């Protein structure tokens, strides 16, 4: 009798589990894979890479199922990563190689423009100085875009533009400075749209948690209404501790609502690193290491609630064999994960 009793209990337990499993599985929300990554072109590495090194790079991206590559900039200060008659060209300018190999590997490329090393210092100035600075930056960015166009339009991999200047919630609090930013982005995006009609124009932004959610949405509503930008990427801030898993969803929800209200596309940038040095941790230069995969998957899970367009910052730095032993380890672990998911 005792054995029969336990047999009945086991049977009922299995029955309950079997009946409940399809219901709970339907409730599981999807976790989308990383589909894009940024790369920050550096003169002392990418500006000297051989063809074989770029082939290896794209082979890694392809194995990771990456479909979108964002060149954060193609001019770093005065050094261009394409042949230029006005900027100083690096030793082995890689832009055309990137576009050609991306086409072969079926990866789309969004091309960034000018990165000025003094950007964050300059926009911290008063409005008069910021106005002069942005006027000069606009001239340089439009000049770079005009020169890049003659190269990029020859390749099917060219998807569009990425506006290099990141938008934050601290430097544009004042109305007059906010107007300067909107004017700059309006004129630059207008120029890019006229230069290459129909191509994507993307930008990214981040938040330090120093703005109310309603004001945050209002800011992006204004930005969208003033510009031709059609893709906005929100940096999750987890790697730099700018945001937390508790407050991030509120900003993502407002960001998505603004994108929908203004008929724009949005995506989420997942920071796949963990900052260990630099402000506000200490006075050293910024330094970060690859994050643990469980934390990255948690970030992906959260990002998936708001967009299928998940972009990493950044696979070349933190999740590739060329990123050192820890980068190689994360690369292999993530490959195992996405293979299981498929």
């Amino acid at each position: 009798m005792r054995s029969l009793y336990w047999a009945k209990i086991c049977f009922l337990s299995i029955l309950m589990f079997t009946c409940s499993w399809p219901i709970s599985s339907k409730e599981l929300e999807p976790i989308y894979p990383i589909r894009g990554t940024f790369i920050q072109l550096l003169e002392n590495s990418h500006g000297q890479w051989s063809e074989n090194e770029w082939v290896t790079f794209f082979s890694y991206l392809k194995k990771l199922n990456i479909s979108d590559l964002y060149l954060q900039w193609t001019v770093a200060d005065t050094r261009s990563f394409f042949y230029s008659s006005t900027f100083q060209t690096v030793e082995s300018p890689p832009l055309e190689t990137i576009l050609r190999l991306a086409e072969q590997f079926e990866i789309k490329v969004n091309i960034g423009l000018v990165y000025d090393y003094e950007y964050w210092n300059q926009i911290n100035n008063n409005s008069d100085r910021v106005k002069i600075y942005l006027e000069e930056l606009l001239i340089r960015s439009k000049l770079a875009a005009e020169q890049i166009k003659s190269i990029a339009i020859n390749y099917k991999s060219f998807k569009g533009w990425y506006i290099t200047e990141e938008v934050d919630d601290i430097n544009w609090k004042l109305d007059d400075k906010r107007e300067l930013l909107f004017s700059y982005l309006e004129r630059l995006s207008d120029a890019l749209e006229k230069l290459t009609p129909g191509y994507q124009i993307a930008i990214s932004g981040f938040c330090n948690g120093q703005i109310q959610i309603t004001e945050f949405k209002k800011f992006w509503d204004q930005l969208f209404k003033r510009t031709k930008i059609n893709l906005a990427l929100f940096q999750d801030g987890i790697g730099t501790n700018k945001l937390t898993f508790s407050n991030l969803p509120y900003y993502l929800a407002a960001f998505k609502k603004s994108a929908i209200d203004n008929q724009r596309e949005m995506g989420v940038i997942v920071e796949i690193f963990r900052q260990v040095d630099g402000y506000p941790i200490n006075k050293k230069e910024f330094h970060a290491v690859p994050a643990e995969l469980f934390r990255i998957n948690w970030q992906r899970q959260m990002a998936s609630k708001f967009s299928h367009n998940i972009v990493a910052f950044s696979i070349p730095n933190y999740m590739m064999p060329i990123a050192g032993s820890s980068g190689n380890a994360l690369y292999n672990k993530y490959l195992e994960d996405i293979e299981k998911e498929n």
Side-chain angles (χ1 to χ4, degrees), residues 31 50 52 84 99 105 111 147 191 193 222 286 298-299 310:
I31 302 178
S50 66
N52 287 339
S84 172
L99 288 164
F105 282 86
I111 300 177
Q147 295 181 23
E193 199 276 333
Q222 292 172 332
F286 178 87
W298 194 5
Q299 291 170 262
I310 299 178

Side-chain angles (χ1 to χ4, degrees), residues 109-110 149 152-161 189 192-193 195-202 228 230:
V109 180
N110 291 272
K149 177 199 170 182
I153 58 172
N154 297 312
Y155 295 92
K156 294 178 182 178
S157 56
F158 175 48
K159 188 174 184 177
W161 305 98
S189 61
L192 293 174
E193 199 276 333
L195 191 65
T196 51
Y199 282 81
Q200 183 169 275
I201 302 173
K228 296 290 197 313
N230 44 41

Side-chain angles (χ1 to χ4, degrees), residues 259-277:
I260 291 172
D261 289 349
N262 292 280
Q263 299 179 309
R264 310 299 166 93
E265 297 293 324
M266 66 87 70
V268 183
I269 298 173
V270 169
E271 295 180 345
I272 61 171
F273 61 86
R274 176 173 58 85
Q275 183 183 354
V276 294
D277 281 319

Side-chain angles (χ1 to χ4, degrees), residues 81 192 257 279 325:
F81 292 84
L192 293 174
K257 183 68 165 59
Y279 180 83
S325 58

Side-chain angles (χ1 to χ4, degrees), residues 54-193:
W54 282 111
V55 169
T56 300
F57 171 81
F58 276 99
S59 297
Y60 291 141
L61 292 185
K62 191 65 177 179
K63 198 165 184 181
L64 291 168
N65 295 327
I66 298 302
S67 58
D68 290 276
L69 178 63
Y70 293 83
L71 309 183
Q72 192 155 346
W73 56 71
T74 47
V75 177
D77 210 16
T78 61
R79 308 291 281 176
S80 70
F81 292 84
F82 57 90
Y83 288 106
S84 172
S85 57
T86 52
F87 300 102
Q88 297 172 288
T89 305
V90 299
E91 183 180 328
S92 298
L95 179 59
E96 195 154 4
T97 300
I98 290 171
L99 288 164
R100 175 169 49 79
L101 290 175
E103 188 170 299
Q104 292 178 22
F105 282 86
E106 299 180 308
I107 293 173
K108 296 295 185 180
V109 180
N110 291 272
I111 300 177
L113 299 170
V114 176
Y115 175 64
D116 187 285
Y117 293 131
E118 288 297 310
Y119 173 71
W120 294 106
N121 290 329
Q122 290 288 346
I123 64 174
N124 197 36
N125 288 320
N126 63 49
S127 298
D128 291 338
R129 293 181 65 181
V130 171
K131 181 178 181 180
I132 295 170
Y133 171 72
L134 291 179
E135 292 289 345
E136 294 172 348
L137 188 57
L138 179 64
I139 293 170
R140 294 170 66 200
S141 296
K142 288 168 66 175
L143 181 60
E146 289 165 1
Q147 295 181 23
I148 291 167
K149 177 199 170 182
S150 62
I151 301 169
I153 58 172
N154 297 312
Y155 295 92
K156 294 178 182 178
S157 56
F158 175 48
K159 188 174 184 177
W161 305 98
Y162 172 74
I163 294 177
T164 302
E165 291 72 46
E166 299 173 29
V167 179
D168 72 304
D169 61 331
I170 292 178
N171 287 286
W172 312 105
K173 286 182 178 179
L174 300 177
D175 289 342
D176 54 348
K177 290 182 73 172
R178 187 173 292 193
E179 173 57 31
L180 292 174
L181 173 68
F182 293 159
S183 176
Y184 169 77
L185 295 176
E186 179 180 20
R187 288 178 292 163
L188 179 55
S189 61
D190 281 348
L192 293 174
E193 199 276 333

